[in-house]
Amino acid sequence: MHKRAKLLIGTISISVILSGCFKGEQSMEEMDPPPNAEAVDNLENISEEDAVNKENEENVNEKADSEETVARQLYLMDANGMVAPQTIELPNTKQVAHQVVEYLVKGGPVTEMLPNGFQAVLPEGTEVLGVNLQEDGTMIVDVSEEFKNYEAADELKILESITHTLTQFENVSKVKLWINGHPQTEMPVNGTPIGEGYSRTNGINIADTDTLDLLESTAVTLYYPAEHGENRYYVPVTQHIEVAEDNDNEYSSIVQALIDGPGLNTNVVHVFNPDTILTNKPELNDGVLELVFSKDILQDSEQAVIADEVMETLVRTLTEQENIEAVDVKVEDVEQLVNENGEEYTEPVTKQAFTPTEKL
């Protein structure tokens, strides 16, 4: 199988840099001073009225802090059984990794926040006993015995949900599972091997590969829009595509796979005009991949409008490939491209435009 198969994934959130290497989240909370602590040189000079006013002010500030939220991605199951990211406002906390896993549990705190058509993935009653980020980027997640109460058909979805939720953070590369303090070498119900950890390279929503020779293909995660009611979101789908040995042709193959569209049973939206072609070989320079298309890619050729979903599908997919930081989309014989709002694309588009990065 192709050695460059490397799957990373990705929705808009505010970039937050949290201090520390996250060796143990609980210890970070213990190191903070009490919220009401304050150095006072002369307590006798503080009147009773001032003390009451100060206490009221502190109570208001504490309440405001507790109501602060941060937008983060949770990988949940949609109405079609696909694992997909949803951006949800979560309470601000220093125990970020613990929190996002806790919000993947059925019947847990995420219940009242679930978007229409989505559900949590981890078995009801699962408790997060601990999380620990190792120096090599491995996140150890320790859960309670209730974690074992799932159907075999859901095993990969559970793994994909935990893994992709945690690896949205830049410094997390893979996940290892413990149950009640004991390291696991395989999943408890269907025996999926996890001894070396689970990462995005294992794929997500893996598509049928019966028609391809796996030895002559590469596994790539492609992003496709999907919708449920008014909720429009992107679903990552791992599928094998036939590629040549050089990178330029690999990028061409990925783009062609997006143009060809998903399989029949993936329940996602095909946004490309099938007549669209790449008129030049893709060129990668200093992390920017330049793509030149025929005018068939345009939503409106007279106004040079490229559909927002076409751009986002390209950028989300291609920036997950190694060494690609941004995508510069051009159209043959078109001087300036614009989005659906008429705004010009004056520079290459990065994945941060859609899924801002964050570290633990």
Side-chain angles (χ1 to χ4, degrees):
M1 187 175 295
H2 202 286
K3 293 182 179 179
R4 287 190 300 273
K6 197 161 182 183
L7 309 176
L8 301 166
I9 291 208
T11 182
I12 300 177
S13 69
I14 300 172
S15 179
V16 178
I17 306 300
L18 297 180
S19 62
C21 66
F22 202 66
K23 270 292 189 178
E25 293 184 310
Q26 293 82 352
S27 62
M28 295 175 64
E29 184 173 347
E30 292 169 1
M31 292 172 62
D32 289 337
N36 295 331
E38 181 176 354
V40 179
D41 294 329
N42 189 358
L43 292 176
E44 288 120 356
N45 292 334
I46 299 179
S47 68
E48 183 177 348
E49 181 180 355
D50 288 339
V52 171
N53 290 338
K54 180 174 180 56
E55 183 178 356
N56 289 338
E57 181 181 350
E58 289 173 344
N59 288 338
V60 169
N61 290 337
E62 286 179 7
K63 182 177 180 182
D65 289 343
S66 66
E67 291 176 353
E68 287 181 358
T69 61
V70 178
R72 291 199 169 92
Q73 287 186 334
L74 300 178
Y75 279 74
L76 305 167
M77 192 186 308
D78 72 6
N80 299 310
M82 308 284 278
V83 179
Q86 289 287 286
T87 300
I88 296 180
E89 293 286 339
L90 302 183
N92 196 6
T93 179
K94 293 180 180 179
Q95 299 182 6
V96 180
H98 185 285
Q99 180 194 58
V100 293
V101 178
E102 183 181 39
Y103 273 71
L104 298 176
V105 178
K106 294 178 181 179
V110 75
T111 303
E112 301 301 321
M113 304 177 177
L114 287 170
N116 189 21
F118 278 82
Q119 61 177 300
V121 183
L122 272 62
E124 187 168 359
T126 298
E127 295 181 21
V128 183
L129 303 179
V131 292
N132 197 311
L133 180 60
Q134 308 296 293
E135 290 184 1
D136 66 352
T138 300
M139 178 68 78
I140 296 175
V141 179
D142 189 10
V143 293
S144 63
E145 293 284 341
E146 288 82 0
F147 177 82
K148 299 178 180 179
N149 300 327
Y150 62 85
E151 300 295 328
D154 292 333
E155 187 161 282
L156 287 181
K157 291 179 173 59
I158 290 170
L159 275 172
E160 292 165 3
S161 174
I162 297 174
T163 300
H164 284 74
T165 296
L166 287 171
T167 56
Q168 72 180 286
F169 303 108
E170 285 184 345
N171 49 339
V172 181
S173 58
K174 64 180 178 179
V175 175
K176 285 190 174 181
L177 179 68
W178 289 17
I179 298 179
N180 201 24
H182 299 286
Q184 305 296 300
T185 58
E186 61 181 30
M187 287 290 282
V189 176
N190 208 37
T192 301
I194 54 173
E196 299 301 317
Y198 211 79
S199 73
R200 293 196 175 199
T201 60
N202 293 101
I204 183 170
N205 299 315
I206 300 172
D208 185 14
T209 57
D210 289 346
T211 60
L212 284 178
D213 182 350
L214 297 185
L215 296 177
E216 300 296 329
S217 64
T218 294
V220 178
T221 295
L222 310 176
Y223 283 81
Y224 298 104
E227 58 186 355
H228 184 87
E230 296 182 357
N231 186 11
R232 195 84 164 181
Y233 55 97
Y234 283 80
V235 176
V237 177
T238 300
Q239 63 188 69
H240 281 74
I241 61 174
E242 293 180 347
V243 297
E245 286 299 318
D246 63 280
N247 279 338
D248 290 347
N249 282 334
E250 179 175 346
Y251 302 144
S252 297
S253 299
I254 294 171
V255 172
Q256 188 59 51
L258 288 174
I259 293 171
D260 292 341
L264 297 176
N265 299 319
T266 51
N267 294 305
V268 293
V269 180
H270 185 203
V271 296
F272 285 85
N273 179 345
D275 295 327
T276 300
I277 61 170
L278 281 169
T279 59
N280 293 359
K281 286 181 62 177
E283 293 186 6
L284 181 62
N285 295 302
D286 296 326
V288 177
L289 183 68
E290 182 181 276
L291 302 174
V292 183
F293 291 95
S294 65
K295 289 184 178 180
D296 303 286
I297 197 174
L298 296 176
Q299 183 184 71
D300 183 337
S301 58
E302 292 186 2
Q303 302 297 322
V305 176
I306 184 168
D308 294 344
E309 288 182 330
V310 169
M311 181 65 78
E312 188 165 352
T313 297
L314 286 168
V315 174
R316 280 179 175 270
T317 298
L318 290 165
T319 54
E320 294 296 339
Q321 307 307 307
E322 189 173 11
N323 301 322
I324 299 179
E325 299 173 2
V327 180
D328 188 11
V329 176
K330 300 181 182 298
V331 174
E332 197 172 43
D333 300 325
V334 173
E335 183 175 345
Q336 180 63 62
L337 291 177
V338 299
N339 65 17
E340 292 180 20
N341 292 326
E343 299 165 337
E344 296 181 350
Y345 285 106
T346 57
E347 57 187 30
V349 183
T350 66
K351 66 181 178 181
Q352 283 78 15
F354 312 112
T355 56
T357 57
E358 178 181 355
K359 284 185 178 181
L360 291 174

